[in-house]
Amino acid sequence: MAQDKLKIVPLGGLGEFGMNCMAIRWQDDIIVIDAGLMFPEEELLGVDIVVPDISYLTENREKVRAILLTHGHEDHIGGLPWILSELNVPVYGTEFTLAYVEGKLEEHRLLDDADLNEMIPGKRLTLGPFSIMPIRVTHSLVDCVALAIHTPVGVVLHTGDFKIDLSPPDNKPFDLHAFAELGKQGVLLLLQDSTNVDRNGYTPSERAVRPKLDEIFSQTKKKLFFSCFSSSIHRIRLAMELAHEHGRKVAIIGRSLDNSTEIAQDLGYLDVPQGLVINPGQIRDFPANKLLIMISGTQGEPMSALSRAAVNNHKFAHIDADDTVLLSSRVIPGNEKSIYRMIDHLERRDAKVIHDDGQSGLIHVSGHGSQEELRLMINLVRPKFFVPVHGDYRHLKRHAELAGSMGVVEKTILLEDGDVLELDKGSATKTGKVTVGRVCIDSGGTSTDVVEDIVIRDRKHLSEDGIVLPIIAINKRTGLLENPPEIVMRGMAIPEEGLIAEARQVVQRTLEGSSSEEKADYGVIKEKIRNDLKRYIQKSTSRRPLIMPVILEI
């Protein structure tokens, strides 16, 4: 009978990076693996985050048993507040993952009603017909697991994000033995991370960055600014160890870094020597060569601490000539412009910038396995069927080809979001599609609005609140204003005369309070003008018009 088949239904993450979410269904029971978000492309105006459409789950709400989280990165847990507000089901994750989740749910006032349960690697849990064994894997974050899901037709193994690191800094290595055991028992389906399928060889261990970073610490004569992803606990720990060895005090700047280091300390992943960390306000009390400043903003986000410091607009972080700025992270595709713009500002300050350009030596390693690790995993578990997950279509296709060429797998299947794969002990067939898509979330102001469709949303927005165009003419050579800002308002449905004059003052004040470097960086200056005007108009009119600053170069 058709209902005696296991259904695998990807709701996000197959055909894009981010938004990872997958439903696994046996008859009247569904479990969900991960609940991620992705950040919007530039053309999604006014959208803060994008989460998967979970219509399939809400239509079957009484069948959903739980959400299981492989690890704590945003592309795996960031959609949880949105999903739990629609569907309050139990959530399972490792201790560190749940610490991140708690912070996120508290922010959205959902923590009191949430049912959070800790998963322990190696300890089995049962949900309806599913028996789940979390297996420790290594990644760029701590406390990550793969999930071996024992179902009535066989074992489905979901790797989560992983690389095979046998000597990680926290001495909790990748559990090769557990995967080999599964291979002996037989695996029906392997769902494997495709992120680095384009890279040959093996991904180096997290420990491999130590020699180069040690060298940078010993050669830096003045302040050392260190930026990495706030979730890279191993990297934060290494930076603190090196600071201690080289006699530098550590100041931590940026909310996300602050939160992560606090959680990592509470859970024993960071052992910070007494007196090593100082308050950002104490930076000026120490000589430059005795300071390590850990700062967030490695992707050049316009209002991040490092972007603001790069244009000399940060209360505590002042970057002087001959200071060293180390970006210990990769460039996320799509962020190249903002990162290189920030590097330009840093270079203008005569800072020495070290980033992952292939020339700087090993200052960053990926958290995802390269081709040989993907092959090793397939050889270890020897699955009957193989489905690549996590990546753009080209990554999934290449990964399916790699698995197919090994002669181990009986059948590789390429799935995209919404495809339904039906499995029994001997067959795997694509049988149809469910509704999937992107839900755009605008979390501006106090509420979280779902943007149903970007065009309808913009039309609605414009019809209700209008549009404001601040037009600023800046002299490209001098960075000075050519004439006072012009403000064009349309569709505001309120008397505009006094409002325009005041709005002009607001823009003028923003510009006067910005350095010439900020004015030369149109991304930063537009964001500042938009924020200040939005605040003023919302306060004085209770409206939220679309604000689109226009910069004219003269």
Side-chain angles (χ1 to χ4, degrees), residues 6 50 69 92 187 231 319 335 348 463-464 475 542-543:
L6 183 74
V50 183
L69 304 172
Y92 289 81
V187 170
S231 57
I319 297 172
N335 294 348
R348 278 197 189 94
S463 67
E464 288 175 4
N475 186 309
S542 299
R543 289 175 186 276

Side-chain angles (χ1 to χ4, degrees), residues 325-393:
V325 180
L326 171 59
L327 303 176
S328 181
S329 62
R330 73 186 180 101
V331 174
I332 292 179
N335 294 348
E336 296 88 349
K337 254 186 184 168
S338 50
I339 293 174
Y340 289 121
R341 197 160 57 198
M342 178 177 75
I343 290 172
D344 279 350
H345 289 309
L346 294 166
E347 295 278 7
R348 278 197 189 94
R349 315 208 77 74
D350 284 327
K352 183 182 181 203
V353 184
I354 302 169
H355 60 103
D356 193 10
D357 56 359
Q359 320 292 312
S360 302
L362 205 56
I363 58 166
H364 171 67
V365 291
S366 172
H368 299 270
S370 300
Q371 285 176 8
E372 292 309 314
E373 283 145 286
L374 302 179
R375 285 197 176 97
L376 175 54
M377 180 69 109
I378 292 166
N379 268 324
L380 266 182
V381 303
R382 308 185 80 75
K384 192 178 182 74
F385 305 120
F386 177 86
V387 171
V389 295
H390 303 176
D392 291 333
Y393 190 79

Side-chain angles (χ1 to χ4, degrees), residues 133-169:
M133 174 67 87
I135 303 172
R136 185 174 302 287
V137 296
T138 43
H139 182 42
S140 52
L141 184 62
V142 296
D143 220 4
C144 307
V145 289
L147 299 171
I149 300 154
H150 298 258
T151 76
V153 292
V155 175
V156 174
L157 175 60
H158 191 301
T159 65
D161 286 359
F162 79 99
K163 69 175 181 182
I164 299 178
D165 191 343
L166 299 178
S167 59

Side-chain angles (χ1 to χ4, degrees), residues 13 29 57 77 97 118 253 322 325 353 375 462 481 505 521:
D29 291 278
L57 300 180
I77 66 167
T97 304
E118 190 183 335
I253 293 178
D322 297 325
V325 180
V353 184
R375 285 197 176 97
L462 292 170
L481 282 185
Q505 294 293 310
D521 186 334

